[in-house]
Amino acid sequence: MLRVGHLNIYHLDNKTLDLSHFLHASSEPFHLYGITESRLHQGISDETIGITDYNVIRRDAKHPGETGIAVYIHQSISCMTSRRHDLEHKDIECIWLEVKAKAHSPSVFICYLYRNPSATADWYDYFSEMIDCTYKSNPNIDILLLGDFNIDLLKPQPRWETLISSLGLTQLITQPTRIAPTSATLLDHIYSNTPDSIHTASLSDLSISDHSPIFCTKHSKLPKTVKNSHTYISFRSFKHFNDNRFLCALSCAPFDSIYSYSDPNQALDKFYQIFLSVLDTHAPKKKRRVKHPKLPQWLTPDIIQAMAHRDQLKKSKQFAEYKKIRNQIKNMVRDSKRSYFNKLVENKKDTFHLWRALNALIKGKKSHSSDIPTHITPDQFNSQFLSIADTLVGNNITNDYDYTCPDTLKQFCKEKLEHKEPLVIPHIAVHEVGKYILNLPNKKSSGPDEISNRILKLSLPYTVEAITYIFNLCISQNTFPLELKKAKVIPLPKSKQTTDLNNYRPISLLSVLSKILERHIHVHLSHYLEQNALLHPFQSGFRKYHSCTSALSLLTHNCLSAINKSHLSGTVFLDLSKAFDLVDHSILMKKLEMYSGNSNLILLLKSFITERTQRVYLNGSYSNVGTIQHGVPQGSVLGPILFCLYINDLPFHITNPHVTCHMLADDTTLQTSSKNHNDAEIALQEALHDTALWCSTNRMVVNPKKSKSMLITTRQKHQLSPLSLNLTLNGNSIDQVSEHKHLGVIIDDKLRWNAHVDHVCKIVSKNLFLLSKLQSIITLEARKLYYHAHIQPHFDYASIVWDGLSDALFKKLNSLHRRAAKLINPDQSMTTEEKMITINMLPLDKHFFYVKAIYMYKVLNHNAPTYLNQLFSFSSSHYSAHKLNLTFPKPRLDIFKTSLCYDGVAVWNSLPIALKTLNTITAFKHQLFSYIIETA
């Protein structure tokens, strides 16, 4: 049976909770449920109106007379339901859906529709045209229409009845759908051209709107929807756990026996045997079935009971009492929310539980293992994740591939390491192990060894010496234990298409002990690489002082410098597909030999990277064990730095001296500048050819469809004549774009930042809408927390790159910034400026100044990449007041004044000497804020 329903709800965002309760309390789940008069706008996200077990599609109001439609689609048929935009008439507010039971089975075409009461007579003609076109697409089409037609069928409607009859449609609802104290009308209809296939058509009991819900059931071979589905979890029960009893048992455990082992694998196995036997006694492992939560914790039984009473009152037409109870429920919900969230703020020392609760309120449901179709097994997921490299690269990957390090890499390493001592990983001291463990976050989740951070930190006094002994055995024998190379993988959906295995992201959980040993190796390896300048200067990934902001700063500086010289800048944004998963282990080992020159370290890292295994965990069950043949370990400490070393020699293969290669992990750009676009095209094409050769040699894959090119120059040059880049990669064209999102910032070919500001405004507007919903629920302190976590980061992210805005763009951002202050502090007796002071907010222009000044302090005090520090030079003036000033570059165009190397100088030079000479960034931030407030 296909079960569909409809309700004219009049403002969905205020009534999502009631609708969710209604759908989940229904005797049989609805496959589709349509909402008219949703009255949503783009500031209201799908997550805000999300309902567990359902996906939602929307048609928000865009034209006068429209009020918005939303349709909830049950996950059991979401993969078999598609929207048919081609059937939707431009002058009718509707959503058409096609539902298939199977790939080759007949479809049911379902339309949700709203007709405004003020619609003209032409609407009937439009409706007739739409249905006629639908029949033309398929003469045997099976149609079902639901909606608020605002045509009262309790009265004679000759024109409408004649039209419906001529179109072969039958109306199925016979009872009034809108009942007021003095009237009753039938405005909500269901039409079918196959009425014999309709099993039931009737009204439901729900009183959250002045319209009654309507529904029908239709004969159709669809998969049965599972009501109250459960998921299974395995966990350690800490219900009767006592810290003191656990520690007492550990103190008596025979950890001394570990010292008799000289093999690190055997020693670690013995440690686990002893430790887990104690842990199993005090926190036994259990497995239980958990009902998937559908309603928030603040929805109390009293509120649910009051809702049922409200619905019954309306059904019995006791309107006066109904309105009274309805208003009482609104107050009960508001008070319950306020009490629940304020207790979280008051009772928790950290903000973790507060944010978990806030996110549940503002983001709705998240992807959960219960969203995964039950027919997909853990073994299917494991096979999919392990075969990524073979799928992308093909059968050319072999373990005995004879890779030879290029001469350029050999020469580079020789120059850097000549007369230098090779890297040696020293033994780790007991106090170092203790420091690493104590610095772990207080997480209760565990990896494949089922030991959480919290338990390891608690047991530290009795286990640290044994752990240190095992780690030093690993270092001495260049062996990474097999137990520390196991991964527990959780599949998470990347999109709503949960039936496609390609739409899942593997989340790997590793042993916490593995990360401790990795951290020790990482500290010494990264120090060695930085000390000897072995990482390419334009590699910004996973390095101290490097970030997306620094990489974007260099990219835009090069573009603006080229514009200032009357040049244009050509850029190619490369997309390396699944780069971390494609790392070839044998090639990585040969490259590491060049960088380290220490055979013992190579053996240790080879032991770390090879013979790794993983199992997928899903709904309480594990897959079979699979061996990882390629890639660096996801979730590991060493994985990122090993990947950086793997691709570190890519720039050496770019033979054209006018092309620079910038990298932030796998985000790679090729950039050049020249007086004309032909020279830029030639240079970039040569670089693309070199990149393709490097990828072929190193078993990497560039996706030409996702890679983009861009010519960046002034608006005037773009207007004079279209400038095109005809670039190819492996015979595939690279699309040229006028704007592209790179490292989270939308760059346009004129560096005007219109698209990025619109993007920021859209996100901030949504979050401000959510803040307005929270305003009456949470305290002032919680609202400030929300602002700093969900709104301010969007203003701040890479703002030093794009804050040189036109007045019009700045005005758009500033209005949102001021609105945030008003929502945080709603005191109407204060001005917006006074509200900002009370909540420690700066005006937006001053805030941008503050952010840029801090970044300049970092750059000039060598807390930023060298490539940025080299952009600035101090003034040669002998006057003491100007000794700490920077030299201005010469601007030829005003747009160049927006670059960091010019505007950053202006910001820095405007600061007093007392600020510039501060020794710590913390002191600088504090006194800079006070200085801005005082001088405002």
Side-chain angles (χ1 to χ4, degrees):
M1 288 287 187
L2 175 65
R3 184 174 166 86
V4 298
H6 162 266
L7 172 64
N8 179 314
I9 203 166
Y10 196 76
H11 288 295
L12 173 59
D13 63 298
N14 295 328
K15 300 168 183 173
T16 304
L17 173 65
D18 293 87
L19 182 62
S20 175
H21 178 58
F22 166 72
L23 292 178
H24 292 125
S26 178
S27 58
E28 290 293 332
F30 285 93
H31 291 93
L32 296 107
Y33 207 88
I35 300 296
T36 52
E37 288 206 67
S38 60
R39 298 186 182 271
L40 303 175
H41 55 79
Q42 65 176 7
I44 303 175
S45 65
D46 288 352
E47 290 79 7
T48 306
I49 58 167
I51 295 178
T52 306
D53 297 337
Y54 287 87
N55 298 324
V56 64
I57 61 172
R58 295 159 53 173
R59 174 177 171 151
D60 295 346
K62 295 182 179 179
H63 306 292
E66 294 187 352
T67 58
I69 299 175
V71 182
Y72 289 92
I73 305 172
H74 198 277
Q75 291 177 353
S76 63
I77 67 161
S78 61
C79 60
M80 298 177 291
T81 305
S82 58
R83 185 169 177 182
R84 292 294 302 268
H85 291 276
D86 57 312
L87 301 180
E88 296 172 7
H89 196 284
K90 63 182 181 64
D91 294 309
I92 293 181
E93 189 176 8
C94 63
I95 289 179
W96 276 94
L97 301 169
E98 180 181 4
V99 181
K100 280 180 173 287
K102 296 180 181 178
H104 301 292
S105 63
S107 299
V108 179
F109 289 78
I110 300 172
C111 176
Y112 285 99
L113 180 150
Y114 177 77
R115 174 184 173 272
N116 195 294
S118 61
T120 65
D122 292 337
W123 189 91
Y124 292 89
D125 297 329
Y126 302 148
F127 180 81
S128 178
E129 290 174 8
M130 181 176 71
I131 302 300
D132 285 338
C133 289
T134 306
Y135 278 125
K136 287 180 182 178
S137 66
N138 183 352
N140 298 318
I141 195 169
D142 190 350
I143 297 175
L144 197 61
L145 294 101
L146 302 90
D148 180 1
F149 287 76
N150 277 303
I151 299 173
D152 184 10
L153 295 185
L154 296 182
K155 299 178 181 178
Q157 302 288 348
R159 181 181 177 185
W160 178 248
E161 291 168 1
T162 300
L163 176 60
I164 289 300
S165 177
S166 68
L167 295 173
L169 299 173
T170 301
Q171 208 284 116
L172 306 173
I173 300 297
T174 58
Q175 300 169 270
T177 61
R178 187 174 185 271
I179 301 176
T182 59
S183 65
T185 52
L186 202 171
L187 305 178
D188 304 274
H189 311 164
I190 299 179
Y191 293 93
S192 173
N193 67 340
T194 57
D196 293 341
S197 67
I198 303 300
H199 182 266
T200 307
S202 187
L203 278 61
S204 303
D205 292 331
L206 182 64
S207 300
I208 61 175
S209 167
D210 58 350
H211 289 248
S212 296
I214 58 175
F215 76 95
C216 72
T217 54
K218 180 180 176 64
H219 295 290
S220 181
K221 294 182 179 179
L222 291 170
K224 185 178 180 180
T225 55
V226 180
K227 187 171 182 282
N228 295 333
S229 59
H230 295 78
T231 184
Y232 291 87
I233 60 170
S234 297
F235 67 102
R236 286 195 177 277
S237 175
F238 287 88
K239 184 176 182 179
H240 304 292
F241 186 83
N242 182 282
D243 289 4
N244 292 328
R245 288 199 293 267
F246 174 66
L247 293 176
C248 182
L250 281 180
S251 66
C252 301
F255 286 111
D256 289 346
S257 62
I258 294 173
Y259 303 132
S260 63
Y261 293 92
S262 59
D263 180 86
N265 281 294
Q266 295 177 352
L268 182 62
D269 289 343
K270 186 64 177 178
F271 172 83
Y272 277 138
Q273 179 187 340
I274 297 170
F275 187 87
L276 291 176
S277 65
V278 176
L279 185 60
D280 288 343
T281 301
H282 293 265
K285 290 185 289 184
K286 293 184 178 181
K287 186 176 182 179
R288 74 180 179 194
R289 191 179 71 174
V290 181
K291 186 176 180 180
H292 191 63
K294 293 180 171 65
L295 297 174
Q297 295 182 35
W298 47 263
L299 184 61
T300 64
D302 289 341
I303 297 176
I304 294 175
Q305 185 177 358
M307 288 177 174
H309 182 45
R310 174 202 62 192
D311 295 345
Q312 186 61 36
L313 288 171
K314 186 174 182 182
K315 185 178 181 181
S316 60
K317 300 183 181 181
Q318 301 179 47
F319 293 106
E321 190 66 20
Y322 157 73
K323 290 182 179 179
K324 181 180 177 181
I325 297 297
R326 180 191 64 188
N327 295 335
Q328 286 180 0
I329 290 173
K330 290 181 180 179
N331 293 331
M332 291 172 67
V333 168
R334 184 189 62 240
D335 293 342
S336 182
K337 285 181 179 179
R338 183 182 291 123
S339 174
Y340 175 70
F341 287 106
N342 287 335
K343 281 182 181 178
L344 285 173
V345 178
E346 294 167 4
N347 298 340
K348 303 299 178 183
K349 295 181 180 179
D350 56 56
T351 59
F352 171 77
H353 292 85
L354 169 65
W355 286 123
R356 184 169 65 178
L358 286 179
N359 287 334
L361 177 67
I362 65 179
K363 295 183 178 179
K365 72 180 186 71
K366 292 186 177 180
S367 296
H368 190 272
S369 60
S370 64
D371 296 338
I372 300 174
T374 55
H375 68 273
I376 304 180
T377 65
D379 284 313
Q380 287 176 295
F381 275 117
N382 208 27
S383 177
Q384 167 71 15
F385 296 149
L386 291 172
S387 64
I388 289 174
D390 295 319
T391 303
L392 282 175
V393 183
N395 297 323
N396 293 324
I397 293 183
T398 55
N399 292 329
D400 58 352
Y401 171 70
D402 188 16
Y403 171 84
T404 303
C405 287
D407 293 337
T408 51
L409 177 59
K410 293 178 181 177
Q411 184 62 30
F412 172 79
C413 292
K414 181 180 179 181
E415 292 174 359
K416 298 291 184 181
L417 298 176
E418 197 169 12
H419 309 302
K420 300 288 179 67
E421 292 294 326
L423 172 60
V424 176
I425 303 298
H427 279 194
I428 188 170
V430 171
H431 75 273
E432 290 179 297
V433 175
K435 181 184 71 173
Y436 289 140
I437 292 177
L438 289 175
N439 287 336
L440 291 170
N442 291 315
K443 291 183 178 179
K444 295 182 180 180
S445 59
S446 60
D449 58 6
E450 299 178 335
I451 300 176
S452 66
N453 293 2
R454 175 183 174 275
I455 289 297
L456 189 63
K457 293 170 77 170
L458 178 65
S459 62
L460 183 63
Y462 304 101
T463 59
V464 65
E465 292 185 359
I467 293 172
T468 304
Y469 173 77
I470 295 169
F471 285 170
N472 286 329
L473 281 180
C474 297
I475 295 170
S476 299
Q477 300 182 28
N478 307 312
T479 300
F480 210 87
L482 293 173
E483 284 296 321
L484 300 187
K485 294 192 286 186
K486 295 179 178 179
K488 174 183 176 182
V489 178
I490 310 295
L492 288 182
K494 294 187 290 185
S495 69
K496 296 178 181 179
Q497 298 300 320
T498 56
T499 57
D500 186 354
L501 292 177
N502 292 312
N503 288 332
Y504 286 84
R505 178 184 293 108
I507 304 299
S508 291
L509 301 178
L510 305 178
S511 164
V512 64
L513 290 179
S514 170
K515 295 185 178 182
I516 302 301
L517 180 54
E518 286 182 64
R519 180 63 62 188
H520 176 67
I521 300 171
H522 183 276
V523 167
H524 293 278
L525 177 58
S526 59
H527 176 73
Y528 172 82
L529 295 174
E530 294 292 348
Q531 188 179 44
N532 295 300
L534 286 169
L535 292 175
H536 193 277
F538 293 152
Q539 170 58 276
S540 299
F542 310 110
R543 299 176 65 183
K544 191 176 182 180
Y545 304 136
H546 293 66
S547 65
C548 294
T549 298
S550 65
L552 287 164
S553 298
L554 179 63
L555 184 72
T556 54
H557 164 79
N558 291 343
C559 295
L560 290 168
S561 295
I563 290 174
N564 200 47
K565 298 174 185 176
S566 296
H567 289 192
L568 50 79
S569 181
T571 305
V572 176
F573 303 96
L574 295 174
D575 182 87
L576 295 176
S577 300
K578 302 287 185 182
F580 285 80
D581 298 319
L582 298 188
V583 170
D584 185 284
H585 294 166
S586 62
I587 295 176
L588 175 61
M589 290 304 111
K590 291 184 179 180
K591 290 186 178 184
L592 288 173
E593 290 178 12
M594 294 292 101
Y595 289 113
S596 69
N598 185 333
S599 57
N600 289 334
L601 174 63
I602 301 303
L603 290 174
L604 178 58
L605 292 177
K606 183 177 181 180
S607 177
F608 166 76
I609 203 77
T610 58
E611 295 183 298
R612 303 191 72 91
T613 59
Q614 70 177 39
R615 292 194 299 167
V616 169
Y617 178 78
L618 179 64
N619 199 20
S621 300
Y622 280 98
S623 70
N624 292 322
V625 176
T627 303
I628 303 171
Q629 301 290 347
H630 315 285
V632 293
Q634 187 203 81
S636 65
V637 177
L638 283 172
I641 197 170
L642 293 178
F643 176 79
C644 286
L645 287 173
Y646 190 84
I647 67 168
N648 193 53
D649 60 312
L650 171 57
F652 301 145
H653 287 256
I654 308 300
T655 55
N656 192 307
H658 302 295
V659 178
T660 54
C661 179
H662 308 267
M663 299 175 292
L664 194 146
D666 58 338
D667 286 293
T668 304
T669 60
L670 303 174
Q671 191 175 37
T672 188
S673 65
S674 63
K675 282 191 172 291
N676 62 77
H677 75 281
N678 290 327
D679 291 342
E681 180 178 285
I682 293 171
L684 289 174
Q685 186 59 64
E686 290 178 3
L688 283 170
H689 177 71
D690 294 337
T691 302
L693 289 177
W694 182 90
C695 287
S696 176
T697 305
N698 290 269
R699 295 299 187 254
M700 286 279 141
V701 176
V702 178
N703 188 340
K705 292 182 179 179
K706 291 186 178 180
S707 300
K708 307 297 178 185
S709 68
M710 184 183 291
L711 268 175
I712 301 174
T713 186
T714 60
R715 174 175 52 85
Q716 292 82 358
K717 287 189 177 181
H718 276 294
Q719 289 176 340
L720 285 175
S721 62
L723 302 173
S724 61
L725 285 174
N726 297 313
L727 301 174
T728 61
L729 179 66
N730 293 329
N732 299 288
S733 296
I734 302 291
D735 291 338
Q736 182 178 345
V737 294
S738 58
E739 57 187 48
H740 178 71
K741 191 172 186 179
H742 179 61
L743 302 179
V745 172
I746 301 176
I747 301 173
D748 61 86
D749 58 8
K750 307 175 190 66
L751 295 184
R752 308 302 293 178
W753 307 112
N754 297 59
H756 183 69
V757 169
D758 287 343
H759 174 69
V760 172
C761 288
K762 184 176 180 181
I763 296 175
V764 171
S765 295
K766 288 182 178 181
N767 289 333
L768 285 176
F769 171 79
L770 295 170
L771 180 57
S772 69
K773 294 293 183 184
L774 293 169
Q775 188 182 44
S776 62
I777 299 173
I778 59 176
T779 62
L780 174 65
E781 290 303 314
R783 293 197 296 272
K784 287 166 66 175
L785 278 173
Y786 176 87
Y787 170 79
H788 290 298
H790 293 281
I791 297 175
Q792 183 178 308
H794 298 292
F795 286 121
D796 288 354
Y797 180 71
S799 63
I800 65 166
V801 174
W802 53 265
D803 65 358
L805 304 171
S806 65
D807 291 342
L809 291 178
F810 177 80
K811 187 176 180 180
K812 292 172 67 174
L813 288 173
N814 193 42
S815 65
L816 295 174
H817 185 260
R818 292 173 63 85
R819 173 163 166 73
K822 296 174 186 177
L823 290 172
I824 296 171
N825 186 350
D827 189 344
Q828 295 183 357
S829 65
M830 302 173 67
T831 65
T832 304
E833 288 70 23
E834 290 171 340
K835 292 176 180 179
M836 287 185 179
I837 293 173
T838 63
I839 56 181
N840 291 327
M841 277 179 65
L842 293 171
L844 188 57
D845 57 340
K846 302 296 184 183
H847 182 75
F848 283 154
F849 179 94
Y850 174 78
V851 172
K852 186 164 287 187
I854 292 173
Y855 201 78
M856 288 300 298
Y857 179 91
K858 292 178 180 178
V859 170
L860 298 176
N861 286 275
H862 303 285
N863 290 333
T866 303
Y867 57 68
L868 290 184
N869 183 269
Q870 293 173 345
L871 300 179
F872 303 96
S873 60
F874 284 99
S875 172
S876 58
S877 171
H878 296 290
Y879 295 103
S880 58
H882 299 292
K883 281 184 179 179
L884 295 178
N885 281 358
L886 297 169
T887 303
F888 276 101
K890 293 181 179 180
R892 192 183 65 85
L893 299 172
D894 285 343
I895 191 174
F896 181 71
K897 294 181 181 180
T898 66
S899 67
L900 180 65
C901 67
Y902 186 94
D903 192 48
V905 171
V907 168
W908 181 257
N909 289 353
S910 69
L911 299 177
I913 293 179
L915 278 176
K916 297 177 185 178
T917 53
L918 290 171
N919 293 325
T920 66
I921 186 66
T922 303
F924 181 80
K925 287 180 180 179
H926 178 74
Q927 295 193 31
L928 174 64
F929 189 89
S930 300
Y931 167 75
I932 293 174
I933 292 292
E934 293 169 1
T935 57

